[in-house]
Amino acid sequence: MSIVLGAIATVFIVAICPMLIGYLFRDVMPKRNPVFIYIAGFMTILAIFEVICAPMNFLRVPIKIEFPIMTVLLLALCIPGAYRIFKDKGIREFLPAREEIDESEKKRKSVWEIVYLVGFLLLLGIQVFCTLYYDMGFWTSDDGVYVTISEAGVHDGYMHMTNVVTGDYVGTIDRQRGVTAIYNYFAYCRYTTGIPAAIIEHTIYAVLLLLMAYGACYLLARSLFEKKEDSYIFLIILSLCYLFGKYTHYSVTFRLLGPIWQGKAILAVVVLPFIFYYFPTFIREKMTQKRVLFIIAVSAAAMSMTLGGAFTMALVPGLIAFLYFLQERKLRTIPYFLSGMIVPAIVSLYYLSGV
């Protein structure tokens, strides 16, 4: 029975919950897309963990209190998403809107689209298979920290109570780890599903994050190219660059095809292309409260992954906003940029203060 409940909890956490929560942000982009909805939901969940669980780390709140609170909160956020799906008359609202094109043109386009799509899916399938079948035995860098903190948190009943190197009890929390809540998230998955943290990170989320990385690149490609076949060609070239790219600790190839479940890797291969997808659209179009809230959520999610998220959220959106300001001379870029710096600024100042 526990296996069945664990499987149900896993499906809900990794699939249903991100889609329902992400659906609340369905209309922040002009064209709806299920890939965007899922990634938006995942980012929102990490943001919630950062805002709620990072303070709990320093307050020494036991996980038997912390994780039930997070479950209730996630369920509460899923309800509006489920209601909106029902109100929008079904699951078809997840699907992209159909394009009206000539039949002959449709046939010609569909042939090449299928050819390029199949080519990309074959390359993606190879990477997914290798992610499932193989596991890293070296160059895992911080992997011992990620898996050990999550597993030890469930074992100890508190987060950050065990020294991940010696296994000894620690009286104070490592501030660098304590202000980032991705460890809490993986520990929550471990606590809720009963699946060991190593499997959750090395198998389940290794595959999901790989798909999210290419999903974010797909969204970016669709915003760059008018034709779908050009988008698929872009993804094929990108995939080949990853497969045959330089493989070092400092390469994006390592972050995608190596320990992708680590915070810096998620930031590099998922968040970065995702920002390049939505942020230029936001600053060109009408500013809305929901878009501002979405920017805050993504920035909080970035901070949940690594303290380096502060630099990413400052430099990348900042550069885009600055270039747009030089071109259009419009101040709408400033509120978007500043809203994205709220959580990174608070977390960074707390970390640097040493309080």
Side-chain angles (χ1 to χ4, degrees), residues 136-204:
M136 297 190 68
F138 58 96
W139 272 16
T140 52
S141 299
D142 294 334
D143 189 48
V145 175
Y146 276 82
V147 174
T148 305
I149 288 178
S150 301
E151 192 70 40
V154 177
H155 177 271
D156 298 337
Y158 292 83
M159 295 300 300
H160 304 284
M161 292 286 286
T162 300
N163 185 305
V164 296
V165 177
T166 65
D168 296 331
Y169 166 80
V170 290
T172 58
I173 296 178
D174 182 351
R175 297 179 66 82
Q176 179 183 353
R177 310 295 181 185
V179 297
T180 52
I182 192 169
Y183 310 101
N184 298 68
Y185 177 71
F186 286 136
Y188 173 80
C189 295
R190 166 69 175 91
Y191 180 85
T192 307
T193 66
I195 300 174
I199 296 177
I200 290 172
E201 298 178 37
H202 287 220
T203 303
I204 297 175

Side-chain angles (χ1 to χ4, degrees), residues 1 34 81 109 118 176 182 204 261 264 266 279:
M1 188 64 180
K109 289 178 65 176
V118 169
Q176 179 183 353
I182 192 169
I204 297 175
W261 53 87
K264 291 185 288 295
I266 303 173
F279 198 76

Side-chain angles (χ1 to χ4, degrees), residues 17-262:
C17 192
M19 292 300 288
L20 292 178
I21 295 177
Y23 196 78
L24 298 174
F25 293 108
R26 178 182 67 87
D27 52 0
V28 298
M29 294 296 289
K31 295 182 179 180
R32 62 181 182 267
N33 191 294
V35 177
F36 173 80
I37 291 172
Y38 183 85
I39 297 177
F42 179 71
M43 293 295 167
T44 305
I45 292 172
L46 287 183
I48 295 168
F49 270 81
E50 176 65 13
V51 172
I52 304 298
C53 294
M56 287 186 177
N57 288 337
F58 295 94
L59 293 173
R60 289 296 196 187
V61 177
I63 64 171
K64 67 180 180 180
I65 296 176
E66 175 184 333
F67 290 165
I69 290 175
M70 297 309 299
T71 299
V72 172
L73 184 57
L74 292 179
L75 288 173
L77 289 173
C78 286
I79 293 174
Y83 173 75
R84 186 169 181 182
I85 293 174
F86 174 78
K87 188 178 179 180
D88 288 342
K89 299 180 181 179
I91 200 71
R92 68 174 180 271
E93 286 297 313
F94 279 115
L95 303 178
R98 292 184 179 182
E99 300 177 1
E100 296 182 2
I101 56 177
D102 181 75
E103 287 298 323
S104 59
E105 180 69 12
K106 181 179 179 181
K107 183 177 180 180
R108 186 191 70 81
K109 289 178 65 176
S110 64
V111 171
W112 286 107
E113 286 177 8
I114 292 173
V115 170
Y116 294 130
L117 178 60
V118 169
F120 166 67
L121 290 178
L122 286 174
L123 292 171
L124 179 60
I126 293 172
Q127 294 171 71
V128 171
F129 171 79
C130 291
T131 301
L132 284 170
Y133 188 77
Y134 299 103
D135 195 15
M136 297 190 68
F138 58 96
W139 272 16
T140 52
S141 299
D142 294 334
D143 189 48
V145 175
Y146 276 82
V147 174
T148 305
I149 288 178
S150 301
E151 192 70 40
V154 177
H155 177 271
D156 298 337
Y158 292 83
M159 295 300 300
H160 304 284
M161 292 286 286
T162 300
N163 185 305
V164 296
V165 177
T166 65
D168 296 331
Y169 166 80
V170 290
T172 58
I173 296 178
D174 182 351
R175 297 179 66 82
Q176 179 183 353
R177 310 295 181 185
V179 297
T180 52
I182 192 169
Y183 310 101
N184 298 68
Y185 177 71
F186 286 136
Y188 173 80
C189 295
R190 166 69 175 91
Y191 180 85
T192 307
T193 66
I195 300 174
I199 296 177
I200 290 172
E201 298 178 37
H202 287 220
T203 303
I204 297 175
Y205 272 100
V207 173
L208 283 175
L209 289 167
L210 177 69
L211 297 177
M212 275 191 271
Y214 278 109
C217 291
Y218 167 74
L219 294 173
L220 177 61
R222 292 297 294 133
S223 68
L224 294 175
F225 305 103
E226 183 178 352
K227 297 180 179 179
K228 281 188 178 180
E229 59 188 72
D230 292 338
S231 301
Y232 297 145
I233 293 172
F234 171 82
L235 291 174
I236 289 174
I237 295 173
L238 178 68
S239 183
L240 290 173
C241 289
Y242 275 134
L243 286 169
F244 299 102
K246 189 176 182 181
Y247 198 83
T248 72
H249 280 97
Y250 307 102
S251 69
V252 184
T253 299
F254 172 73
R255 295 302 176 185
L256 181 80
L257 303 180
I260 191 174
W261 53 87
Q262 295 178 9

Side-chain angles (χ1 to χ4, degrees), residues 39 42-43 46 209 212-213 216-217 263-279 297-306 309 312-313 316-317:
I39 297 177
F42 179 71
M43 293 295 167
L46 287 183
L209 289 167
M212 275 191 271
C217 291
K264 291 185 288 295
I266 303 173
L267 186 68
V269 301
V270 179
V271 177
L272 194 59
F274 195 55
I275 293 174
F276 279 112
Y277 167 66
Y278 72 79
F279 198 76
V298 174
S299 65
M303 293 306 299
S304 77
M305 300 170 191
T306 171
T312 300
M313 299 310 299
V316 179

